[in-house]
Structure formats: C-alpha cells, structure tokens
C-alpha cells in the first residue's frame, strides 16, 4: 500500500471542504486560527511519516492530551483508577455537569473534562502541579522523539481566565471527596495540558505506541502493557468524541480522540497512528473536515477495525 499516495489523495479529496465547521471561539488564541488550515500525518512502524497540508504546523491539542494523561494514570494507579472514574460513554457534552450530581461525583470516563480532571489530580504528587506537567511534557517529547514540543502559555492563560465551567466541575467533584489536591492546583495542571501545542506529525508519532500493543515499534520501548493498551483503545473507541463517539465509530471505525483545537488522534492497530487537524468543529466539538479526511483514509486503506 502506498501511504504517501493515499495521504496525498485524501488531502486532495477534502480540498473543497476546507474551512467547514465552526472554529472554537471561547478563547482568542483558538478563535483567531485560520479555519482553512488542514493537516494530516500517519506515523508508521518503520519510522516514516507520510503527511500532507499543514502537517508540520503546531496547534492546540486540547482534549487529545487526555489520552496521554489517562495512559500515565493507568500506569501509576493500575485498576485503582476505576474507583474514581468510570469507563462508560457519557452521551453528554465534554463539559457537562448534570451526570456528576446523579452519579455522586464519579465522572463517566477519563476522556470527558471531569474525568480528565480526576486523572490529572491522580498524576499530582505532594501538590506539585509543575512536576506533573514537567513529567507529561517529558513523556510526550520522548514518545515523539522531539524536544521542541511545548506548551502554548497564551492558551494556558486564557483557559484559566475562561475556566469557570471546569472550576465548577472540579469543585463539584471535590464536594464528593473525589479530588486529592486543591482545585486550583489540579486546574493549573489541567489548563496547561490542554494548551500543549503539537503538529500532526508530532502527535501521530507520540501516539504510535498505541497502535502496537503499547510498545513503540521504532525504538522498541515498551510504554504500557499490551493489556492496558487494549483498554485505552477501548475507551477511546467508546468515549473519545463526547456525544459524537457513536457517529465517529460508525463512520471511521477506529479508536480516536478529538480536541476543540480541531485535532483528532486516531489509532489503526498494527498499522499506525493518524493525526489530522482542521479547526472547524461540528456541534459536538469534533473536527468536521478532520473526520471527513479520516473517513476517506479508512475507505482507501481498509483500516477500520470492523473490516
Ligand atoms: N480546554 C477545553 C476545556 O477543558 C478542552 C475541551 C476539548 O478539547 O474538548 O474545556
């Protein structure tokens, strides 16, 4: 299979759709991104990276960071993590608070905001949010083999300034005893993880281990056990796109995670990791053109896990 050609054809196919969807406008740094941007990159086990469009331009990965914190928390806590967060699709928007009251402060899954806030809390030792973020950054740089990956501090600052809803979620969970650290400590880490800036090429490379049973096929390094990797992918498949997860599974048939910056990280088991970016979102917060591109790509490669 000629992936360079498939990526080029996929990019050509979506050309007429560029600019579709609504760019997130809750913070200025996201609102000002050109809606016509589009990038696609596939990290493959031989270390290659077929890519097209704006695949080397950094963007705000936002909720895609939740995959990496979830993976780290599973390594740290093992199955104890499931005492504090469930693994069921929410069927509600990413920042919904209603379910939390009915379900006594236990969030639905690690890939919606309240679940990710609990996961981040779990990664903070001795109240040191900076150390947790330093570790996350080091892990991402290692996975991607790229020390230039960093946090966009303008985005992080804006996340905090507009973070009333996330603060509400965190205080609500704290009232049920489901936060170990102070709300502001946890959120200072959470807002920075949302503000991580990666390109499609870097993001696909960082997620490659998830396509190969938790082991980086390029370096040979085991990052998570094969069993944990399967579980991370199962949660991505069922919960990776908020209340749009069913539609994404139906159309693309691969585990993935989207973020409101317009990025989507998608895993094709035993094949590679695909990152797409296009800032215009659908109503649920998933990239409109990104999802279209993935649909095209899966059609051409036959990579859907459903055959
Ligand atoms: N920074 C956003 C928030 O926490 C992330 C949402 C997303 O990417 O889904 O509300």
């Amino acid at each position: 299979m000629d992936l360079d050609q498939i990526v080029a054809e996929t990019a050509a196919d979506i050309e007429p759709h560029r600019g579709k969807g609504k760019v997130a406008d809750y913070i200025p740094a996201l609102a000002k991104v050109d809606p016509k941007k589009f990038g696609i990159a596939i990290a493959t086990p031989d270390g290659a990276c077929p890519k097209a469009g704006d695949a080397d331009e950094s963007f705000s990965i936002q909720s895609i960071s939740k995959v990496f914190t979830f993976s780290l928390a599973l390594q740290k806590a093992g199955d104890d993590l499931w005492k504090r967060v469930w693994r069921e699709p929410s069927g509600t928007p990413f920042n919904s608070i209603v379910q939390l009251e009915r379900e006594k402060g236990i969030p639905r899954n690690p890939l919606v905001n309240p679940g990710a806030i609990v996961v981040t809390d779990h990664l903070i030792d001795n109240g040191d949010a900076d150390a947790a973020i330093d570790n996350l950054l080091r892990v991402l740089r290692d996975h991607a083999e790229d020390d230039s990956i960093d946090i966009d501090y303008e985005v992080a600052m804006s996340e905090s300034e507009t973070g009333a809803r996330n603060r509400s979620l965190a205080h609500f969970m704290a009232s049920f005893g489901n936060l170990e650290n102070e709300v502001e400590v946890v959120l200072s880490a959470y807002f920075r993880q949302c503000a991580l800036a990666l390109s499609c090429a870097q993001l696909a490379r960082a997620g490659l281990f998830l396509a190969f049973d938790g082991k980086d096929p390029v370096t040979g390094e085991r990052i998570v056990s094969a069993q944990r990797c399967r579980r991370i992918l199962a949660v991505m498949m069922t919960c990776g796109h908020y209340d749009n997860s069913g539609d994404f599974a139906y159309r693309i048939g691969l585990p993935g995670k989207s973020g409101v910056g317009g990025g989507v990280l998608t895993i094709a088991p035993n094949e590679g990791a695909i990152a797409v970016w296009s800032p215009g979102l659908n109503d649920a917060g998933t990239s409109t053109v990104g999802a279209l591109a993935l649909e095209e790509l899966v059609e051409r490669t036959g990579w859907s896990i459903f055959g």
Side-chain angles (χ1 to χ4, degrees), residues 247-264:
D247 185 58
F248 192 89
Y250 178 88
R251 290 170 55 198
I252 288 134
L254 290 174
K257 178 74 198 94
S258 48
V260 295
V264 187

Side-chain angles (χ1 to χ4, degrees), residues 45-243:
D46 55 0
C49 184
K51 57 191 174 184
D54 306 304
D56 286 315
E57 191 170 320
S58 294
F59 61 92
S60 189
I61 70 166
Q62 293 289 329
S63 280
I64 305 170
S65 62
K66 293 173 174 140
V67 171
F68 298 100
T69 52
F70 171 35
S71 163
L72 283 173
L74 260 189
Q75 287 171 71
K76 188 171 176 212
D79 283 345
D80 279 351
L81 187 66
W82 303 119
K83 293 180 183 151
R84 302 183 57 194
V85 56
W86 292 354
R87 44 180 190 259
E88 291 294 343
S90 64
T92 56
F94 61 93
N95 56 5
S96 168
I97 203 165
V98 285
Q99 245 164 8
L100 267 187
E101 174 154 38
R102 271 204 307 273
E103 298 176 355
K104 304 198 168 30
I106 307 288
R108 272 292 169 114
N109 65 69
L111 302 182
V112 288
N113 287 15
I117 290 169
V118 164
V119 163
T120 297
D121 178 45
H122 207 87
L123 295 176
I124 300 174
D125 292 321
N126 310 313
D128 193 347
D130 292 351
I133 286 296
D134 285 350
N135 187 50
L136 175 63
L137 206 45
R138 185 190 56 74
V139 163
L140 274 171
R141 288 173 175 168
D142 282 357
H143 289 2
E145 296 186 295
D146 191 337
D147 283 344
S148 71
I149 290 173
D150 217 336
I151 290 164
D152 181 333
Y153 285 96
E154 187 196 338
V155 173
M157 196 69 82
S158 303
E159 291 287 338
S160 182
E161 283 162 8
T162 58
R165 174 65 76 114
N166 285 319
R167 283 194 175 80
S168 307
L169 292 168
H171 279 290
F172 206 59
M173 291 190 291
S175 77
F176 285 100
N178 199 10
L179 279 194
E180 280 163 10
N181 294 281
E182 295 290 326
V183 164
E184 284 305 323
V185 169
V186 181
L187 289 178
S188 89
Y190 176 78
F191 292 141
R192 279 179 280 174
Q193 79 181 53
C194 287
L196 278 159
L198 275 77
S199 68
C200 289
Q202 290 169 328
L203 183 60
R205 179 68 188 88
L208 184 59
F209 71 101
L210 290 169
F212 290 87
D213 298 325
K215 189 171 167 182
D216 187 314
V218 180
T219 62
E221 189 194 345
R222 169 147 309 279
I223 293 169
V224 289
S225 71
Q227 185 201 48
R228 292 222 169 106
C229 183
R230 279 197 299 278
R231 291 173 168 177
I232 293 166
L233 295 183
V235 175
M236 289 171 78
M237 188 78 183
T238 51
C239 312
H241 312 275
Y242 325 114
D243 43 347

